[in-house]
Structures are given as structure tokens and as C-alpha cells.
Amino acid sequence: MVRPRAQAAHGRSFGAQAGVYDEVRPGYPDAALALALTGWDRQWSDLRVCDLGAGTGILSRRLHALGTELVAVDPDAVALERNPAPTVVGTAEDTGMEAESVDLVTVAQAWHWFDEPRAAAEVARVLKPGGRLLILINQLDVRVDWVLRLSRIMHAGDVYRPQYRPDPGAGLTLIDHRLVEFTTELSVDGIVDLARTRSYWLRSNEKTRARVESNLREYLSVEHPIPDTVHLPYMCLAYLLERH
């Protein structure tokens, strides 16, 4: 089990692979993003949004394109250098933002790095009454046998739990959820680069990294050979919560 302090440190290490991260990590499907507006008489251009744990800006770029008034918050200043939005160096537990200042908080690929009760309290603090929290989690689709094997070789840690629902408290109530299937096209080199952006790789020594790369290349050339590229199956798990 990773201790909370060590977990937070791992969550701040992605800036070291910022360029690779942007190249090989997938974006978030429009159908998953659209969950944020379900049953809400609001448009994207009406919203002031905090993209929390925003990192290099994979989601921030899409939110910016949708016309939101956006602030990107992350503890990793190196990762934020690539983010096109106005940025604040801060944590999920202490964003540095004003109380009741945003309509929507988005958290993409980062909720599991947070101290959930403290992060929930901070999200509730910065949201306006009736504001929303959208949690997005892209996972390799480990329901597919060969993808499950791939994830284990790269120590991805992607485990699909159909029953999971975030219940962080602090007045944040789950009001909807959605699973969106999609694929992203990668070469063998791209899949190896994908492994390089995972926390297991980032905290491993060179010997371990070499072993993971060798095992990946052998699997994709011998056990499950792929052509020049493959459409790698993913699922995006989207959870919508509301502040009451």
C-alpha cells in the first residue's frame, strides 16, 4: 500500500515525462465530458471552471476550446508549463482559489492521487452553491484479454471495478455516471512510451525499466503481435457530483 505522502509525491512526478505524456496519453471523449451539462441549464461558455490536477493540459485544452473561463491547478510546475490555460500551482487539498468562485471543477486522471476527504472539502469550498464536480478516469479496457495482459506487463494498475462510485462527502453528492468506450492508435514504440508515463516506471530504477520494456516488446512481437499500429481499447469512467 502506498502511504498518502508517497502517493502524493508520485502524483507530482509526471512533469519529468511531460512531452511523452502529451503524445501518448489519450484525451477524454466528448460523450464523457457532456455528462457535466446533463440536466443543467448551462452552456460551456457560461462556466468558470477549475481543472484540478490539470498537469500538462490534456483536458484543459479541450475545455479551453469549448469556451470556458478556465483556471488550471496542479502542484507540478514543470507540467503546468505546457498547459495553455491560466495556471495556479496548488494542490487538490489547498488550491489557493477563492471560496465559491467556480461553477465546475474537473478532475481528469488525478482523483486517486488526492487525499479524498480533504480534496472534497476543498472542492466544495471553491464551488458555488449548486456547482458540480466531474471526475474522469481513462483506463485501459482490461475487460479485453490481451489488454489485461498488456496492463499487467507495464504494471499499469488499471483494474475495472463496475461497482465503484465516488462518495467523498463534504456535501458532494453523486448525481450521474457514465462509461464511454473509445480507442487510441499507437505503435509498439508508442505503447512503450505509454509505459514510461506510468507511475510504476517513474519510480523504478533503470534495471526495472529495461525489463518492462523488453517484456512489452516481446509480448507485442511474439505473444500478441501487432501490425505497425493498433487501436488500443480504453474506457472513460465519468462521475458527476453536485454541491448542495
Side-chain angles (χ1 to χ4, degrees), residues 26-230:
Y28 299 89
D30 286 346
L33 267 178
L35 182 66
L37 300 185
T38 301
W40 214 13
D41 187 23
R42 308 289 294 274
Q43 302 296 321
W44 287 111
S45 57
D46 300 330
L47 301 180
R48 187 163 195 257
V49 180
C50 169
D51 189 15
L52 186 56
T56 61
I58 291 177
L59 179 59
S60 299
R61 291 182 186 89
R62 183 64 185 138
L63 292 169
H64 179 73
L66 288 168
T68 66
E69 181 186 351
L70 182 64
V71 178
V73 177
D74 198 277
D76 190 335
V78 176
L80 283 178
E81 289 176 1
R82 300 180 65 90
N83 196 306
T87 61
V88 173
V89 177
T91 67
E93 300 81 13
D94 183 11
T95 63
M97 298 190 65
E98 294 182 4
E100 298 187 356
S101 61
V102 299
D103 305 290
L104 175 68
V105 173
T106 57
V107 179
Q109 220 64 18
W111 188 257
H112 60 293
W113 294 117
F114 302 163
D115 180 326
E116 187 175 64
R118 292 177 59 213
E122 178 67 356
V123 168
R125 186 187 71 82
V126 303
L127 279 175
K128 298 175 183 178
R132 292 180 165 187
L133 165 65
L134 179 67
I135 299 172
L136 299 174
I137 306 169
N138 277 345
Q139 289 190 336
L140 293 169
D141 193 345
V142 293
R143 300 170 300 178
V144 180
D145 287 345
W146 78 267
V147 179
L148 175 60
R149 175 64 178 145
L150 180 73
S151 73
R152 288 175 173 172
I153 294 171
M154 68 169 61
H155 297 264
D158 291 12
V159 178
Y160 177 46
R161 295 178 291 157
Q163 73 282 2
Y164 170 74
R165 303 289 184 270
D167 184 20
L172 298 172
T173 302
L174 183 73
I175 60 172
D176 207 348
H177 61 92
R178 183 175 296 173
L179 185 154
V180 180
E181 298 174 348
F182 69 103
T183 64
T184 185
E185 188 174 8
L186 287 175
S187 65
V188 172
D189 286 343
I191 292 173
V192 173
D193 281 343
L194 182 64
R196 292 189 176 112
T197 69
R198 297 285 183 154
S199 58
Y200 178 82
W201 179 286
L202 293 171
R203 65 177 184 259
S204 294
N205 59 34
E206 289 303 320
K207 182 179 179 180
T208 299
R209 293 176 178 180
R211 186 183 70 247
V212 171
E213 178 170 353
S214 176
N215 289 343
L216 278 172
R217 292 190 183 278
E218 181 178 2
Y219 177 66
L220 295 171
S221 64
V222 178
E223 296 181 51
H224 188 83
I226 65 171
D228 292 340
T229 61
V230 66

